[in-house]
Amino acid sequence: MKQDKFLKPIYLLFTILLLSSTISNTHAQKIKWNKVKVLIYTKNGKGYVHDNIAASVAAIQALGKQHGFGVDVSEDPAKFTDENLKQYDALVFSNTNNDVFDTDAQRVALMRYIQAGGNFVGLHSASGTERKWRWFKDMLGGTFFWHEPGQSFTVNVLDSKNPSLAHLPAKWDRKTDEFYFVKEMGVNLNVLAVNDHTTIQKPAGKALDTFGTVFPSVWWHEYDGGRAFYTSLGHQKEDYEQEDLRKHILGAIEWAIGPQKARNYSKAYATSPTDEVRKK
């Protein structure tokens, strides 16, 4: 009887530790980086083109060398075919903007890739991509509305266990960045971080108050068979030389890939960019 009284606290402690381990493992994804290959897509349509693209590409290439994953880079929409895309574990749309495809067949290839279990990462102005295409906007999680003039502000981290944010403090101070507002947002997004509008010094008057004084800046969700991750941060080309943003991007790629698996094109069904998403 005395032995039972002695053992109960030990059993309780073991249970708590086991539960804690289980919870943390929901965020700990064991990516075999040497088995990963990503495509960085940098196409811009007519309109504003960011000067950070080369720096963002160099940053991801450096991450690839550091962690052992393959990186291809292209701004050629002709690369969007079933045969070519199936080799990639994730597509990184790095500061793409406006219309980035030449044909509907290329758009359908992106749809089929996601439906086959492919994964997407959108960086910064990627939310301004394909603004008239409903499927793409839903896949990314919304579409660009407006941004405050570049200045300092604070990002509030909501999920400190996600690999894209685990290295950051609870309040991530952005020395100079663009505070994005996104419209037509999905209702099932997993929001990981929000920008705090009360920390903006020079507001310009077009802010959305949908979420009060904060606005989502980092999120992910499952969509049409695949996973999509988006971060609105990273406007300055110099940012991509900084360790905090590089780790943010690496964690975004890791989380987008999720459970590592090959694409299964037997699940791809799209024949037109206007096809409705099939409910599971």
Side-chain angles (χ1 to χ4, degrees):
M1 188 72 174
K2 289 182 179 179
Q3 186 179 22
D4 288 344
K5 289 182 178 179
F6 175 75
L7 289 176
K8 280 181 179 179
I10 296 178
Y11 292 147
L12 179 59
L13 176 62
F14 177 77
T15 302
I16 293 172
L17 290 173
L18 183 62
L19 180 60
S20 299
S21 174
T22 302
I23 292 172
S24 62
N25 281 339
T26 63
H27 286 83
Q29 300 182 143
K30 296 179 181 179
I31 294 290
K32 295 179 180 178
W33 287 109
N34 64 334
K35 302 292 185 182
V36 169
K37 189 176 184 181
V38 304
L39 173 66
I40 308 174
Y41 190 51
T42 60
K43 175 74 172 178
N44 272 247
K46 186 178 179 180
Y48 182 79
V49 179
H50 281 68
D51 67 357
N52 60 15
I53 293 174
S56 70
V57 168
I60 299 171
Q61 288 174 325
L63 289 170
K65 288 182 179 179
Q66 180 181 353
H67 296 276
F69 63 90
V71 178
D72 287 344
V73 184
S74 181
E75 60 176 12
D76 181 5
K79 297 291 185 182
F80 282 74
T81 66
D82 286 3
E83 187 61 31
N84 186 53
L85 294 185
K86 68 182 180 182
Q87 65 182 302
Y88 298 112
D89 296 279
L91 308 180
V92 182
F93 277 45
S94 185
N95 292 283
T96 52
N97 199 12
N98 296 305
D99 294 339
V100 300
F101 297 108
D102 293 336
T103 68
D104 280 350
Q106 294 160 358
R107 293 180 175 90
V108 168
L110 174 59
M111 296 171 73
R112 289 175 54 80
Y113 167 79
I114 295 296
Q115 291 163 358
N119 308 296
F120 173 91
V121 175
L123 303 182
H124 194 52
S125 67
S127 58
T129 302
E130 294 288 328
R131 305 182 197 202
K132 299 184 291 292
W133 182 17
R134 179 78 267 162
W135 182 93
F136 185 90
K137 292 188 290 186
D138 289 345
M139 185 268 297
L140 184 135
T143 191
F144 177 77
F145 171 66
W146 182 77
H147 68 75
E148 292 282 13
Q151 58 188 292
S152 64
F153 58 87
T154 299
V155 179
N156 297 336
V157 173
L158 303 183
D159 187 347
S160 61
K161 292 182 179 180
N162 189 279
S164 71
L165 300 164
H167 62 291
L168 296 169
K171 292 187 178 296
W172 184 18
D173 293 325
R174 306 296 298 148
K175 185 176 180 180
T176 305
D177 211 329
E178 289 182 340
F179 191 122
Y180 266 28
F181 293 96
V182 174
K183 62 182 180 178
E184 300 177 51
M185 293 184 67
V187 297
N188 62 339
L189 303 177
N190 302 289
V191 178
L192 305 176
V194 294
N195 295 342
D196 183 352
H197 200 257
T198 66
T199 63
I200 283 283
Q201 300 301 308
K202 298 178 181 178
K206 293 176 67 175
L208 297 173
D209 62 357
T210 311
F211 302 92
T213 59
V214 298
F215 202 87
S217 52
V218 183
W219 62 73
W220 78 279
H221 67 146
E222 294 182 347
Y223 181 77
D224 204 10
R227 288 161 71 99
F229 190 109
Y230 173 70
T231 176
S232 66
L233 304 166
H235 175 71
Q236 302 290 115
K237 59 185 178 183
E238 295 82 7
D239 289 341
Y240 294 90
E241 299 174 3
Q242 302 302 315
E243 192 71 9
D244 58 353
L245 190 66
R246 287 193 176 193
K247 285 186 176 181
H248 181 53
I249 293 170
L250 181 69
I253 295 171
E254 176 184 345
W255 193 254
I257 291 172
Q260 211 163 353
K261 58 185 178 181
R263 269 53 63 206
N264 181 359
Y265 271 82
S266 69
K267 296 183 178 181
Y269 59 86
T271 59
S272 164
T274 59
D275 285 353
E276 291 190 8
V277 174
R278 292 181 182 175
K279 305 300 180 185
K280 305 302 180 186

